[in-house]
Amino acid sequence: MQPTESEELVERIRDALRMIVDPEMGSNIVDLGLIYDIAVQDGGLVRVTMTTTIKGCPATAFLKEAVQNCVWYVPGVEYAEVRLTYEPPWTPEMMLEAAVGL
Amino acid sequence: MFGATLSRWTMSYFAAALIFLAIGEVMMVLGFGYPVSSIEAPETLALVHTIALGWLSLLMAGALLQFVPVLVGRPLSLPGLALPALVLLVVGITGLVLGFVSLAGAGSFSPLLLPFGATVTIAGFGLLVIVFATTLWQARPLPLPARFVAVGLGSLVATIALGGTYAFVLAGLSDTQAAIDLTLEGLSLHAALGLGGWLSFTTMGVSYRLLTMFMLSPDRERQSSRIVWALGAAALGIVACIVPMILSGSAGRVVLLLIAALAGVIAIGIYMADIVRIYRGRKRKLIELNSRAGIGAFAALTVATIFFLALAVSGQIERGVGPLVYLVTFGWLTGMGLAQLYKIVPFITWLECYGPLLGRMPTPRVQDLVVETRAAFWFRLFYLTVIVASAALCLDNASLFRVSSLGQLIAVNALLWEFVATRRLSNVPSNLRLSGGFARPHLFFPPFQSRRQP
């Protein structure tokens, strides 16, 4: 995959992930800064690294599964792998302006 | 594994707790217990235990089942003990309250219900202590809010040990000098460890985490919060140490109590400064109703602390203990409990109904499960009745107290109705209410096929 194609796919995935709204915060998980990294590899293999606002949040598994499903359905993605991390831990400073105004 | 499980029985604990609260409010409206009866009367003890055990302790237990895993970032150990503990607690607390009613001569119950109820209650709390202590032990080193919970659990153990002793003495089953001495002199320790340790100190610890979480305030452990923990733990430790001093007849107990009280007051002062900092440092501009309603509880804690200091300085603790305990129990603990229920109930309901649908179809936000403007009125009425009832107790006006309790009963039942509406998804826009063919959640029982998180 060419670098430009890869960047385009990352953007499409990021846009798709904006459909997932954190139920408590009421803003999408991209603007909240919960998506740390989207890595595209050859063959349409996508690795998403994400976090949640707090470690141990009861909604964690639902959010992770939602991200997995959402990425899977983006055209160009053959396989999606979602990794949950708390390094670094999420802080409110990671939110985009759009989410800060909640 | 980072996830916490959705607690299966938390809603059942909350439902039982709210029923006990409604019963307690009815008792106050009918004039059963203080201030119509004296503060030491069996009627008052029945009322106090309906509220402190039936309402506040079941509420705290249910909340901890859900939030201890959040505090420590690992699943609850031995979650299967939650249901037997609930059954034991409901049976035990009911027995205990009816035992006090029998002592008051108000019913045809046997006084033996008192030791029976106490024993069963202790067994229920024992199971919960095993669950929480095991979870905390496996999560060491503990974050600060969890250390508050650990001290709260220690206080609970001491409280129920003392309470069990009193139950056997009052029922005439124990006449050892040590047990009688403890009953005569240790009642204030029992109340201090229960209300101050188990219920208040645990609430303080959990509030550090919940408030920062819900308002997106800076989440780092502050030195001031560590001092609150150290002072509070020291104060409660001193109170607990007075128990063996009573048994051995050692002198110096009053001085130690004064030191513990001073440490407790300073801890509350620093805690309040921390809370103001959390509210001011929030990233979330809009404060949701649970956090707004919590402000009334913090105000009640502040007023109660100043009132306690005034009573202590003027040497009138005994005269003012009634309004003081009322303000702590209803203004601080009940106010905070109802305020946080207003967030926890929709949050759990959302997870139950919409969590599995997230990312597959449009789902409501947690806030869509509630109507804040309606509930805000009932919270205002609740706090107004707390103010009026506290004033009535200070003025020794039982009629005014009963009238304000009627207002409080109405407010509490209206909030209870709001929780039911949340569970019924009544406030959710109709197009999102039951998307995906999901069934309406049970009111207070868990789904029969629970979804466990990995």
Side-chain angles (χ1 to χ4, degrees):
Chain A
M1 194 177 280
Q2 297 298 313
T4 48
E5 285 177 58
S6 176
E7 283 163 20
E8 280 172 18
L9 181 55
V10 167
E11 275 317 301
R12 284 205 301 277
I13 292 169
R14 205 179 294 281
D15 282 345
L17 288 175
R18 284 201 166 87
M19 302 294 285
I20 302 173
V21 173
D22 181 290
E24 170 51 29
M25 306 301 303
S27 185
N28 73 72
I29 59 173
V30 175
D31 289 353
L32 282 173
L34 299 181
I35 302 299
Y36 281 176
D37 185 49
I38 301 170
V40 175
Q41 296 177 356
D42 285 341
L45 172 66
V46 174
R47 285 204 170 88
V48 178
T49 305
M50 67 171 289
T51 192
T52 56
T53 50
I54 56 157
K55 191 175 177 180
C57 168
T60 301
F62 296 128
L63 283 165
K64 189 181 170 196
E65 198 176 313
V67 169
Q68 175 109 33
N69 284 329
C70 183
V71 174
W72 196 275
Y73 284 106
V74 175
V77 175
E78 296 300 326
Y79 182 77
E81 190 179 289
V82 180
R83 193 173 73 89
L84 196 62
T85 184
Y86 290 91
E87 288 301 329
W90 181 86
T91 63
E93 286 70 30
M94 293 176 178
M95 291 190 294
L96 298 181
E97 269 312 305
V100 173
L102 292 170
Chain B
M1 179 162 67
F2 302 111
T5 52
L6 180 58
S7 166
R8 270 173 73 72
W9 295 102
T10 285
M11 284 309 306
S12 310
Y13 274 78
F14 289 167
L18 285 163
I19 290 167
F20 274 111
L21 174 61
I23 292 170
E25 296 282 358
V26 169
M27 289 164 84
M28 289 191 289
V29 173
L30 296 177
F32 193 87
Y34 178 78
V36 173
S37 308
S38 75
I39 211 156
E40 308 85 8
E43 290 92 334
T44 304
L45 295 177
L47 173 61
V48 164
H49 287 84
T50 300
I51 296 297
L53 289 179
W55 156 235
L56 293 171
S57 293
L58 284 179
L59 173 71
M60 178 64 78
L64 288 181
L65 285 169
Q66 183 63 63
F67 285 106
V68 162
V70 177
L71 297 183
V72 299
R74 58 169 294 128
L76 202 68
S77 303
L78 307 169
L81 294 182
L83 177 60
L86 175 61
V87 173
L88 287 171
L89 284 171
V90 170
V91 171
I93 294 166
T94 305
L96 195 66
V97 169
L98 292 178
F100 283 124
V101 170
S102 80
L103 283 188
S108 55
F109 309 107
S110 164
L112 290 177
L113 276 171
L114 211 55
F116 165 78
T119 307
V120 178
T121 303
I122 289 171
F125 278 128
L127 292 183
L128 286 178
V129 168
I130 290 170
V131 170
F132 297 134
T134 312
T135 308
L136 295 177
W137 182 260
Q138 290 173 346
R140 289 167 301 145
L142 294 177
L144 188 60
R147 275 182 269 152
F148 277 81
V149 175
V151 173
L153 287 175
S155 302
L156 171 65
V157 171
T159 307
I160 59 177
L162 285 171
T165 307
Y166 304 154
F168 278 79
V169 170
L170 291 173
L173 293 182
S174 175
D175 56 1
T176 61
Q177 193 55 46
I180 292 169
D181 287 348
L182 270 184
T183 308
L184 291 174
E185 208 185 324
L187 209 60
S188 58
L189 308 181
H190 176 63
L193 288 166
L195 287 177
W198 158 234
L199 293 168
S200 291
F201 203 61
T202 311
T203 300
M204 287 161 73
V206 175
S207 70
Y208 273 124
R209 190 65 199 266
L210 288 191
L211 287 175
T212 51
M213 188 170 100
F214 290 138
M215 293 196 293
L216 297 182
S217 304
D219 196 21
R220 67 178 186 280
E221 279 188 16
R222 290 180 169 278
Q223 186 62 23
S224 56
S225 311
R226 289 193 205 105
I227 293 171
V228 172
W229 181 84
L231 282 172
L236 293 164
I238 290 170
V239 171
C241 283
I242 293 174
V243 173
M245 290 178 74
I246 293 173
L247 295 175
S248 63
S250 307
R253 302 198 288 269
V254 175
V255 175
L256 278 180
L257 264 182
L258 283 174
I259 293 171
L262 186 64
V265 167
I266 295 171
I268 291 171
I270 301 171
Y271 170 70
M272 288 312 304
D274 279 347
I275 293 299
V276 170
R277 209 173 288 132
I278 288 172
Y279 271 85
R280 286 194 175 151
R282 71 183 191 279
K283 287 281 178 186
R284 220 169 172 178
K285 291 188 178 70
L286 182 73
I287 307 184
E288 291 174 342
L289 183 56
N290 62 305
S291 301
R292 288 208 307 280
I295 293 172
F298 291 123
L301 178 63
T302 306
V303 172
T305 308
I306 294 167
F307 186 49
F308 170 74
L309 271 178
L311 290 172
V313 169
S314 61
Q316 293 189 315
I317 287 280
E318 280 191 26
R319 192 160 168 260
V321 73
L324 178 67
V325 170
Y326 179 85
L327 199 52
V328 170
T329 307
F330 285 90
W332 157 236
L333 292 169
T334 300
M336 181 59 74
L338 289 171
Q340 295 315 316
L341 269 182
Y342 195 72
K343 168 57 78 177
I344 300 170
V345 170
F347 188 63
I348 290 179
T349 306
W350 188 96
L351 289 172
E352 228 177 276
C353 298
Y354 297 107
L357 306 177
L358 189 65
R360 297 173 199 265
M361 55 188 67
T363 51
R365 299 167 306 149
V366 173
Q367 274 304 94
D368 292 328
L369 275 68
V370 295
V371 178
E372 287 199 350
T373 45
R374 216 167 48 206
F377 174 81
W378 300 116
F379 273 113
R380 278 196 286 272
L381 177 61
F382 171 80
Y383 282 117
L384 176 68
T385 60
V386 169
I387 294 168
V388 174
S390 301
L393 291 178
C394 287
L395 299 170
D396 216 10
N397 187 332
S399 302
L400 181 60
F401 179 82
R402 290 176 65 182
V403 170
S404 62
S405 296
L406 178 61
Q408 196 168 96
L409 175 67
I410 293 167
V412 164
N413 276 291
L415 287 171
L416 211 154
W417 186 250
E418 292 293 330
F419 300 143
V420 170
T422 296
R423 291 293 290 166
R424 292 282 187 217
L425 307 178
S426 305
N427 303 320
V428 179
S430 55
N431 59 321
L432 295 174
R433 192 169 296 162
L434 295 170
S435 49
F438 262 63
R440 188 179 279 182
H442 298 294
L443 207 50
F444 50 82
F445 283 121
F448 292 110
Q449 282 192 320
S450 74
R451 181 194 164 89
R452 286 299 187 83
Q453 301 192 8

